Amino acid sequence: VMDSTKSVLTSGVIVLFGKQDTGRYHVLVSSQQCSYDAQQIFKHLLKDYEGRGGGKVSHAQGVVHASNLDDKSGLSIKVSS
């Protein structure tokens, strides 16, 4: 899914969440042809949800337990340049 999305979006940030059978969400963040740091976006997204992972400027990935998301009213992020 990430590769096909990246082929359509030539510049910007992509964030994907995928629920696994293990009760966790796998999170992928990719930034391409822009000044946003995928690793920093990843850390900001998951800091309140006890998510774990890492990466580099162009790509970051990790997991968050579903129970940590279920107790929250919503997941949102505000990015400014």
Side-chain angles (χ1 to χ4, degrees), residues 6 16 18 25 39 43 47 49 61-62 79:
K6 286 169 73 173
L16 297 176
Y25 283 89
Q39 186 176 17
K43 287 180 182 180
K47 69 179 179 179
Y49 302 94
Q61 63 183 356
V79 177

Side-chain angles (χ1 to χ4, degrees), residues 13 20-21 30 39 48-50 57 64:
V13 176
Q20 301 173 332
D21 292 337
S30 178
Q39 186 176 17
D48 294 333
Y49 302 94
E50 299 178 26
V57 172
V64 62

Side-chain angles (χ1 to χ4, degrees), residues 55-68:
K56 53 187 178 178
V57 172
S58 63
H59 183 82
Q61 63 183 356
V63 296
V64 62
H65 288 279
S67 61
N68 292 341

Side-chain angles (χ1 to χ4, degrees), residues 8-78:
V8 175
L9 180 69
T10 57
S11 176
V13 176
I14 303 165
V15 179
L16 297 176
F17 284 82
K19 191 170 185 178
Q20 301 173 332
D21 292 337
T22 59
R24 301 184 305 172
Y25 283 89
H26 191 82
V27 183
L28 301 169
V29 179
S30 178
S31 64
Q32 56 184 29
Q33 305 297 326
C34 66
S35 62
Y36 295 114
D37 183 330
Q39 186 176 17
Q40 293 301 315
I41 292 170
F42 177 85
K43 287 180 182 180
H44 180 77
L45 273 173
L46 299 182
K47 69 179 179 179
D48 294 333
Y49 302 94
E50 299 178 26
R52 300 180 69 188
K56 53 187 178 178
V57 172
S58 63
H59 183 82
Q61 63 183 356
V63 296
V64 62
H65 288 279
S67 61
N68 292 341
L69 290 175
D70 294 342
D71 293 339
K72 308 292 181 178
S73 60
L75 178 63
S76 65
I77 182 171
K78 180 179 180 181

